Amino acid sequence: MESRIACDSTSLGAAAGVIYCAGMRPVVAVDLGGTNIRAAYYPRGTPPAVRSSRRATGAGDGPTAVLERIHAAIEDLALSAPEAEAMIIGIGAPGPLDPATGVVHHAPNLPGWHEVPLGEMLSRRWGCPVKVENDANLAALGEWGHGSGRGAHHLILLTIGTGIGGGVIVDDRLVRGWRGLGGELGHLPLVADGPRCSCGQAGHLEAIASGTAIARAYRQVGGGPADGPAITTERIAAAARAGDPRAKAVFNDAADAIGRGLSGLVHVFNPERVLLGGGVVRAGEWFTGHVERALRESLMDATFGEGLQVLPAELGDEAALLGALTLVTSDA
Ligand SMILES: [Zn+2]
């Protein structure tokens, strides 16, 4: 058992007679999403969480209401006074943000969020350090710290869902770039004059291979009803498994694009592991296998592929929370 007494790093919580070492500070992790706000409490800075909470974001009510709900989500964790005094908060938010200042520049799924000083507002309310990071980057940190990226020093996570996001870790550090905007893997330009992307540009990976793009491509070849309920990638994947050639073709096209995009990233970053996450990956191994083949066939030199592992991400919905935990307990 580690000794609290031997710890000389901090006297946080000392007033209440509790001394916490830096490595075992209580951590509150928060995942702010367009639909839900989730929070989890890790008293010793390691999983599992001893308490967690979830509430609707109510994004349409605007930033002030959402911030109150974030505070309430933390309050739900029922921290004692010494715990709250010693804690550190890690929070993931959607959209471009500045991890150095904790300011969310804007968040597409959170109406009214423009230049919101999220880190400062949480820090002022709770009187503790707060670290803020983009949720897609946090998913990569989560997989690196606690998922299928464990033990790797160089990895790429690509999350293929409604959109495409991801993160890159090099030398055990998250690649953030100059202003913290790095890692927008869904916006790799692949096809000149290709389909319009959610960002407004044409031909980005997200516009070609996300779940949204797969469903659109399937409708365009006559799969699924032109009107009526939107067809899901789960249903298209089931149709592909049942032998529907149109469904297979749209998934194969997406897998080809993802593999080609990833090969470019592999050339730039030379990772030892590539992790594939997100709902579209649940289509099955035939899909991820196709992605891996397309990746390897697009490499400039086979050396890049030697020892390279392509694996499913394993944390699912927990990735951002565990990433927020990793954010505040590591130097990554
Ligand atoms: Zn884009």
Side-chain angles (χ1 to χ4, degrees):
M1 190 180 159
E2 69 272 64
S3 164
R4 293 185 179 195
I5 297 161
C7 175
D8 62 359
S9 60
T10 166
S11 60
L12 288 158
V18 183
I19 309 290
Y20 291 97
C21 295
M24 52 179 287
R25 277 178 84 155
V27 174
V28 168
V30 183
D31 178 15
L32 167 61
T35 308
N36 286 306
I37 297 165
R38 300 176 63 206
Y41 177 51
Y42 306 88
R44 289 178 159 258
T46 56
V50 298
R51 287 190 291 278
S52 60
S53 75
R54 176 196 291 259
R55 65 189 57 235
T57 308
D61 298 336
T64 305
V66 171
L67 277 162
E68 281 310 312
R69 288 180 195 127
I70 295 171
H71 294 321
I74 296 171
E75 259 162 22
D76 274 356
L77 300 175
L79 273 70
S80 69
E83 287 170 333
E85 193 176 333
M87 76 172 171
I88 180 164
I89 296 174
I91 180 166
L97 55 81
D98 186 339
T101 61
V103 171
V104 178
H105 297 309
H106 62 93
N109 297 328
L110 301 174
W113 281 64
H114 298 290
E115 305 303 328
V116 175
L118 177 62
E120 189 191 321
M121 292 169 106
L122 282 172
S123 171
R124 207 183 309 139
R125 165 69 177 77
W126 293 95
C128 71
V130 178
K131 282 189 170 185
V132 183
E133 185 54 80
N134 172 274
D135 53 6
N137 280 345
L138 279 191
L141 274 184
E143 293 288 346
W144 173 76
H146 300 283
S148 49
R150 273 191 310 272
H153 305 291
H154 309 269
L155 73 82
I156 293 169
L157 167 72
L158 193 72
T159 305
I160 310 148
T162 310
I164 293 183
V168 178
I169 286 169
V170 172
D171 277 325
D172 294 319
R173 298 292 297 264
L174 184 65
V175 174
R176 292 181 173 88
W178 174 42
R179 299 191 62 197
L181 304 175
E184 288 290 348
L185 307 189
H187 302 275
L188 287 171
L190 279 192
V191 181
D193 302 323
R196 189 66 53 189
C197 185
S198 64
C199 71
Q201 299 286 355
H204 286 178
L205 179 61
E206 175 169 302
I208 296 166
S210 64
T212 310
I214 289 170
R216 185 181 56 228
Y218 188 57
R219 281 195 309 274
Q220 282 171 353
V221 294
D227 47 10
I231 188 152
T232 62
T233 48
E234 285 87 349
R235 280 180 55 198
I236 305 170
R241 283 193 297 271
D244 176 347
R246 293 171 303 188
K248 264 196 169 143
V250 296
F251 263 100
N252 287 344
D253 288 350
D256 282 336
I258 292 164
R260 276 201 311 279
L262 279 171
S263 73
L265 296 172
V266 167
H267 293 152
V268 175
F269 296 110
N270 186 204
E272 63 196 286
R273 234 171 271 177
V274 169
L275 310 179
L276 301 173
V280 173
V281 168
R282 287 198 287 270
E285 270 179 41
W286 60 275
F287 175 70
T288 51
H290 192 131
V291 169
E292 179 171 356
R293 273 196 307 283
L295 189 175
R296 292 186 186 279
E297 285 168 5
S298 308
L299 291 175
M300 61 177 279
D301 184 301
T303 316
F304 281 93
E306 285 171 11
L308 172 68
Q309 294 177 296
V310 180
L311 301 173
E314 64 183 36
L315 298 180
D317 291 344
E318 302 298 311
L321 274 182
L322 287 165
L325 173 66
T326 307
L327 177 72
V328 299
T329 55
S330 75
D331 296 327

